[in-house]
Amino acid sequence: MLGEGIVKGLAETARNFLGSFVDEERLTTVEYPEERLPQAEAARNFPFLIYDGDDAEKGLRCVACQICEKECPPRCIHIEKSKDKKPDYVGKQQFYPAVFDIDVSVCMSCQICVEVCPFEAIRMDTQFELSTDDRFGGLLWTKAELAKTNEYYHSIHPTEAGETDARLDEEKAKVAAKAKPAEAEMQAKA
Amino acid sequence: MSAMVTRVVLEEEESARGVEGELLEISMGPHHPSTHGVFRMDVRLDGERVTRLKPVFGYLHRNHEKIAEKASYLAAIPYTDRLDYLCSMTNNWGYALAVEKLAGIPVPERAEYIRVITAELTRLQNHASLIGFLLQDMGASGTPLMYAFREREKILDLFESLTGARMMCNYMRFGGVRVDCSSEWLEAAQNIASSFPQFLDEYEQLLTGNEILMARTQGVGALSAELAVNAGITGPMLRASGVNYDLRKVDRYGIYDRFTFRVPLGDHGDVYDRYMIRLLEMRESVKILEQALAAIPEGPIIDPKTRLRGLRPKAGEAYGRIEGPKGELGFFLISDGSTNPYRYKVRPPSMINLTVLEDMCLGRNVADVVVILGSVDIVMGEVDR
Amino acid sequence: MTQAISVEEIKAAMEAAVPGCRAEILRNESPSAQHSLLIDHEHAVNVAAFLRDDMALRLDFCSCVSGVDWPDREITEKVKVKKTVTTPEGEAQEQDVEETRKTMIPGFLEAVYHLFSIEKKHGPVVLRMRTVNRGGDARLPSLTPVWRSAEFQEREAFDLYGIVFEGHPDLRRILMWEGFADYPMRKDYVPPAEDDVEAVAK
């Protein structure tokens, strides 16, 4: 019968429409910004720098090795190495970034910088409401804006942060063990 | 229609045609709701009939190939996401496959399974939204597209929880994948695989028997098998013309030889067949998903010997291709032994499938052009690169 | 993707079917082992038609057409040359002398065609053609009359590399705009400064 297909289709639409009154599943939209969907733990947006402790200058994990700067596909990272050195998390003297800028208007959120960082210093943030009325200065983030605490990292990516901390602790333990190898050897012999 | 219309009197043609009327030259696009982005067609019309059609593109051209030639092998991966931005997973895979061929990199078992699962999920969401867009082009504004997007959203949520991004996944690496998936994730993927056929039934109930859809698509934009093969048409469009050529069966790249699935073929090569092929392919994709999810082994997800950063393949070249949702997605790489490819070329299925757009549209009404273009399935990020 | 038929067999078949055609096998040392066949200009279209129509090969599907730029390069090599040297005693003597020789290898543009067979399900067979130089003689015969799939891709190679495909039905720029002067994919292309909007939009 001509029109049967159309009627069937309309019945399907009606079923979906009426279903939305009884079934939560069929209501797929939320009223942003009043209502928000939970974010996935793995969600990523723009990078930030992690620091340990309370002092952003002192605790910054970045040692200005510039690997991320070289590997960044759109080249949105700008680093200037310091002249002097400061101790890193295991106590070794390291350089630190005198300047660390990310142009987030260029950044494409690909996470390559996180992958190549050997010092667990750069991670991806989840914040996405970042509009600004200054399209140049407002989107060029400096070291001060990028630095965030390890606790903050734990709050946004708990699983990943836990793994990172475990890795760092392991390294610290290794360094501590190396610091007194003679002692360890003596103990092993005994 | 927001197209710019210019009235052109073509002297020689007018004199040949006598007094019947004049030809109209319409520039459809680049900002036209039916062109899926910034795409233009220079159409010459005799009344409503198309007598010439020349696609014009490049508005989104960013010289993707040059960018990749200046970047390292690793840094090119996020750029491939942005080719066909609906299917970043399959783009990643195509590129990873080409690099693996070039450098002879093995891929662990588990990574192969994850690749198949993510690629088939990508195919599902691409085909579902394509049908939505096709119906949108036909004038069924909203409903079919929204139904498709409702399902697509579930798949994108899955991608986000795995890779961190909904569309720009940047997930696959040469030698494997970036992060492992959890058992909860696999369970969620299983839920989608088992609920998807219901959505397909619903979709078919809504559309397949619809008289308007049939009137608008059957016999429209027919493409013969000979022309399709000669013009290099690939993917669902080629199979709608009745040519049995699916790279998952022919090349058996990855681990596709382990799954049983069928390759649906069309008879007429018209828009309706292309619509139907995509519906059937989704059902086959669900079958592959079910099998892959049942058989996925534990193990490493990336080849431990492969250096991602600073990969230097031996001098040589390789052409790797996969069956993307839109057709054969190929990557041609030439290495000169340095850290970045000497030549990096993408074989974009959407662009090459446009070769026969004029042949399909000649003699049809201008309203059919929109439907035919919709059935080709183009994404401008890939056409223009 | 196994090569069911080796390049040597294809070369032999090609030379038998198209009299006078010259083909050269270019080895590919990478693990992909996709060797290619370099063919000459005069017989290219006939060779292509043969590859497409031959019942054993049936390479009916031209998948990918790529342009490649190989700029001029200078090779410095040390060569041992036998020279007649007159010794202090007045005798002529042959000696091995090492000389540094610099050779300019002229650059060329290349079009690479990846062919497959949909009917026989084999491939890829890689065809290559090279232009005489990168300047005024950057010409190649178009294979679009044989495979229509080359139409847009040859236009792209023309647009981005400046290879003129003779016999192409509609050779216009495809991604760049008409009136753009340069060939952006060439290795020696210098892009305009980022803030120089005028130069970009010219």
Side-chain angles (χ1 to χ4, degrees):
Chain A
M1 189 191 77
L2 188 71
E4 201 186 324
I6 297 174
V7 173
K8 264 207 239 163
L10 284 174
E12 190 56 50
T13 321
R15 204 168 67 79
N16 267 278
F17 172 64
L18 296 173
S20 66
F21 286 98
V22 286
D23 189 1
E24 283 279 307
E25 276 275 291
R26 288 185 186 275
L27 275 178
T28 44
T29 48
V30 293
E31 302 268 330
Y32 178 83
E34 287 81 28
E35 222 182 311
R36 276 156 193 274
L37 288 172
Q39 261 190 312
E41 204 194 310
R44 62 177 142 98
N45 204 7
F46 292 121
F48 69 95
L49 296 172
I50 303 179
Y51 65 89
D52 297 304
D54 310 318
D55 190 350
E57 272 296 317
K58 235 171 148 183
L60 206 65
R61 287 184 191 167
C62 178
V63 300
C65 68
Q66 291 173 307
I67 291 176
C68 56
E69 189 185 23
K70 281 188 208 97
E71 284 296 319
C72 174
R75 310 273 157 89
C76 68
I77 304 177
H78 172 71
I79 301 173
E80 275 169 33
K81 214 184 229 176
S82 63
K83 297 273 185 308
D84 54 331
K85 290 187 177 184
K86 72 171 180 61
D88 68 352
Y89 57 94
V90 290
K92 203 170 141 198
Q93 289 291 319
Q94 296 271 26
F95 291 106
Y96 60 91
V99 175
F100 195 116
D101 293 341
I102 293 182
D103 188 345
V104 286
S105 66
V106 174
C107 175
M108 60 187 201
S109 312
C110 66
Q111 210 179 14
I112 297 260
C113 52
V114 177
E115 268 170 75
V116 297
C117 180
F119 298 94
E120 324 275 0
I122 192 165
R123 284 293 181 266
M124 296 306 273
D125 208 340
T126 52
Q127 270 175 23
F128 56 90
E129 290 149 318
L130 301 163
S131 53
T132 162
D133 52 9
D134 177 7
R135 59 187 268 223
F136 300 109
L139 294 172
L140 184 73
W141 293 354
T142 58
K143 194 168 70 172
E145 287 157 286
L146 288 165
K148 283 174 187 165
T149 59
N150 195 21
E151 285 70 46
Y152 174 74
Y153 178 37
H154 271 276
S155 71
I156 54 171
H157 302 299
T159 325
E160 199 188 284
E163 284 166 15
T164 308
D165 275 5
R167 246 194 324 270
L168 287 178
D169 286 341
E170 210 176 290
E171 235 170 273
K172 265 186 225 169
K174 250 188 224 165
V175 172
K178 252 189 204 164
K180 29 187 177 171
E183 233 173 275
E185 249 171 60
M186 291 284 273
Q187 272 172 0
K189 269 178 195 166
Chain B
M1 207 181 283
S2 67
M4 186 181 75
V5 180
T6 39
R7 192 163 286 234
V8 184
V9 184
L10 296 141
E11 284 174 23
E12 72 282 10
E13 286 189 44
E14 201 200 24
S15 61
R17 286 156 32 82
V19 287
E20 281 160 37
E22 53 198 289
L23 292 172
L24 270 185
E25 219 163 74
I26 297 186
S27 168
M28 275 179 81
H31 299 286
H32 189 275
S34 79
T35 55
H36 298 235
V38 271
F39 174 68
R40 186 157 70 93
M41 289 171 280
D42 276 342
V43 192
R44 190 174 293 167
L45 292 176
D46 177 7
E48 270 278 292
R49 219 161 44 80
V50 176
T51 59
R52 201 191 75 152
L53 184 146
K54 293 284 171 207
V56 180
F57 42 84
Y59 295 95
L60 220 58
H61 181 55
R62 55 210 182 269
N63 219 340
H64 169 82
E65 292 174 4
K66 190 97 179 178
I67 294 171
E69 282 172 20
K70 288 189 170 174
S72 69
Y73 282 91
L74 174 66
I77 296 176
Y79 282 112
T80 63
D81 286 341
R82 285 139 178 96
L83 281 172
D84 170 0
Y85 38 75
L86 289 176
C87 319
S88 62
M89 289 287 192
T90 45
N91 296 343
N92 286 175
W93 193 357
Y95 175 66
L97 191 85
V99 178
E100 281 152 15
K101 266 183 197 294
L102 181 68
I105 301 170
V107 183
E109 193 91 328
R110 186 176 172 84
E112 292 276 24
Y113 274 91
I114 301 178
R115 282 181 177 188
V116 168
I117 293 166
T118 49
E120 292 308 320
L121 285 170
T122 304
R123 201 179 312 276
L124 286 181
Q125 56 101 355
N126 177 72
H127 284 2
S129 32
L130 170 87
I131 293 172
F133 282 122
L134 176 63
L135 268 289
Q136 175 102 335
D137 291 345
M138 237 176 265
S141 53
T143 313
L145 183 61
M146 288 303 133
Y147 282 24
F149 267 40
R150 185 185 64 203
E151 296 308 308
R152 175 171 178 256
E153 199 57 34
K154 293 178 190 164
I155 295 175
L156 292 189
D157 282 347
L158 211 56
F159 285 170
E160 186 177 13
S161 66
L162 179 64
T163 71
R166 286 151 40 85
M167 289 168 79
M168 302 299 142
C169 297
N170 181 20
Y171 181 57
M172 290 181 201
R173 296 285 176 267
F174 21 92
V177 294
R178 180 159 57 83
V179 284
D180 202 355
C181 56
S182 61
S183 54
E184 295 87 53
W185 189 87
L186 289 171
E187 214 167 279
Q190 180 60 52
N191 284 342
I192 285 182
S194 21
S195 67
F196 212 83
Q198 281 162 25
F199 158 70
L200 289 177
D201 292 341
E202 190 183 275
Y203 221 34
E204 285 215 66
Q205 180 88 345
L206 181 73
L207 300 171
T208 303
N210 188 303
E211 284 81 2
I212 301 172
L213 182 129
M214 293 205 275
R216 288 294 307 277
T217 57
Q218 285 180 339
V220 174
L223 180 66
S224 72
E226 293 74 45
L227 180 60
V229 169
N230 192 253
I233 308 303
T234 45
M237 224 175 133
L238 176 70
R239 293 190 285 274
S241 293
V243 182
N244 185 358
Y245 197 67
D246 187 323
L247 297 185
R248 291 173 293 174
K249 288 277 189 198
V250 177
D251 281 3
R252 297 165 172 271
Y253 61 91
I255 46 163
Y256 273 112
D257 48 345
R258 298 187 194 172
F259 307 116
T260 42
F261 63 100
R262 290 178 303 170
V263 179
L265 297 177
D267 289 329
H268 313 287
D270 56 3
V271 175
Y272 186 77
D273 275 8
R274 275 170 229 147
Y275 155 80
M276 238 12 240
I277 290 286
R278 282 171 177 125
L279 271 177
L280 295 171
E281 269 192 14
M282 282 194 269
R283 293 194 189 272
E284 298 303 317
S285 285
V286 172
K287 277 190 209 164
I288 300 175
L289 265 180
E290 296 270 7
Q291 294 169 50
L293 285 164
I296 181 167
E298 288 296 322
I301 50 154
I302 193 153
D303 179 48
K305 285 196 213 102
T306 302
R307 287 181 62 193
L308 286 179
R309 195 159 69 81
L311 177 82
R312 289 167 184 271
K314 256 202 311 189
E317 58 177 56
Y319 180 69
R321 55 179 196 163
I322 64 158
E323 182 70 37
K326 294 184 167 61
E328 175 185 323
L329 176 69
F331 285 86
F332 176 49
L333 299 170
I334 300 181
S335 163
D336 58 353
S338 67
T339 51
N340 42 339
Y342 183 81
R343 177 76 175 105
Y344 165 101
K345 152 97 189 176
V346 189
R347 182 214 188 266
S350 332
M351 180 180 105
I352 295 164
N353 287 357
L354 282 175
T355 311
V356 289
L357 186 64
E358 183 175 22
D359 303 63
M360 294 192 290
C361 293
L362 286 183
R364 307 293 321 182
N365 289 344
V366 71
D368 288 341
V369 171
V370 172
V371 179
I372 293 167
L373 180 70
S375 75
V376 176
D377 192 5
I378 56 167
V379 161
M380 294 320 287
E382 184 176 86
V383 175
D384 293 344
R385 279 159 297 136
Chain C
M1 240 193 285
T2 45
Q3 266 176 323
I5 308 168
S6 73
V7 270
E8 287 81 10
E9 285 171 88
I10 295 171
K11 180 175 183 265
M14 219 154 75
E15 283 169 341
V18 185
C21 97
R22 296 181 304 279
E24 190 190 324
I25 295 172
L26 300 178
R27 293 267 151 207
N28 176 5
E29 299 304 330
S30 86
S32 73
Q34 294 167 347
H35 310 297
S36 49
L37 283 160
L38 179 69
I39 57 170
D40 64 324
H41 298 189
E42 299 92 82
H43 303 89
V45 178
N46 288 341
V47 164
F50 161 73
L51 292 176
R52 186 192 61 187
D53 299 329
D54 181 59
M55 289 325 282
L57 292 167
R58 285 297 280 149
L59 295 161
D60 45 10
F61 170 43
C62 171
S63 167
C64 181
V65 182
S66 328
V68 188
D69 181 17
W70 300 95
D72 303 332
R73 62 202 162 102
E74 205 178 54
I75 289 186
T76 321
E77 51 185 350
K78 288 211 165 119
V79 208
K80 279 199 176 150
V81 200
K82 281 209 171 33
K83 264 196 178 169
T84 325
V85 185
T86 322
T87 52
E89 288 86 45
E91 279 173 56
Q93 201 179 6
E94 252 192 12
Q95 260 184 7
D96 281 346
V97 182
E98 215 167 65
E99 264 187 6
T100 349
R101 224 186 259 171
K102 276 187 184 171
T103 26
M104 252 321 231
I105 296 187
F108 51 86
L109 298 164
E110 190 175 53
V112 189
Y113 294 75
H114 284 85
L115 311 175
F116 292 87
S117 171
I118 287 182
E119 201 183 292
K120 304 268 183 209
K121 310 236 181 327
H122 67 83
V125 171
V126 191
L127 277 193
R128 295 182 115 90
M129 287 193 287
R130 286 174 180 174
T131 62
V132 180
N133 58 35
R134 298 169 74 245
D137 275 330
R139 293 170 184 284
L140 288 178
S142 167
L143 300 186
T144 305
V146 183
W147 294 289
R148 258 202 67 195
S149 52
E151 184 181 335
F152 280 8
Q153 300 190 74
E154 281 183 352
R155 267 178 75 185
E156 194 186 310
F158 163 71
D159 187 359
L160 304 179
Y161 283 94
I163 305 173
V164 178
F165 287 95
E166 284 166 331
H168 191 285
D170 184 21
L171 197 66
R172 289 177 292 136
R173 287 205 174 255
I174 189 165
L175 294 170
M176 307 303 284
W177 55 95
E178 290 296 331
F180 183 80
D182 222 329
Y183 303 110
M185 279 300 285
R186 287 199 184 186
K187 291 283 171 190
D188 50 7
Y189 172 72
V190 184
E194 242 168 71
D195 50 349
D196 194 355
V197 185
E198 291 287 308
V200 177
K202 200 158 53 188

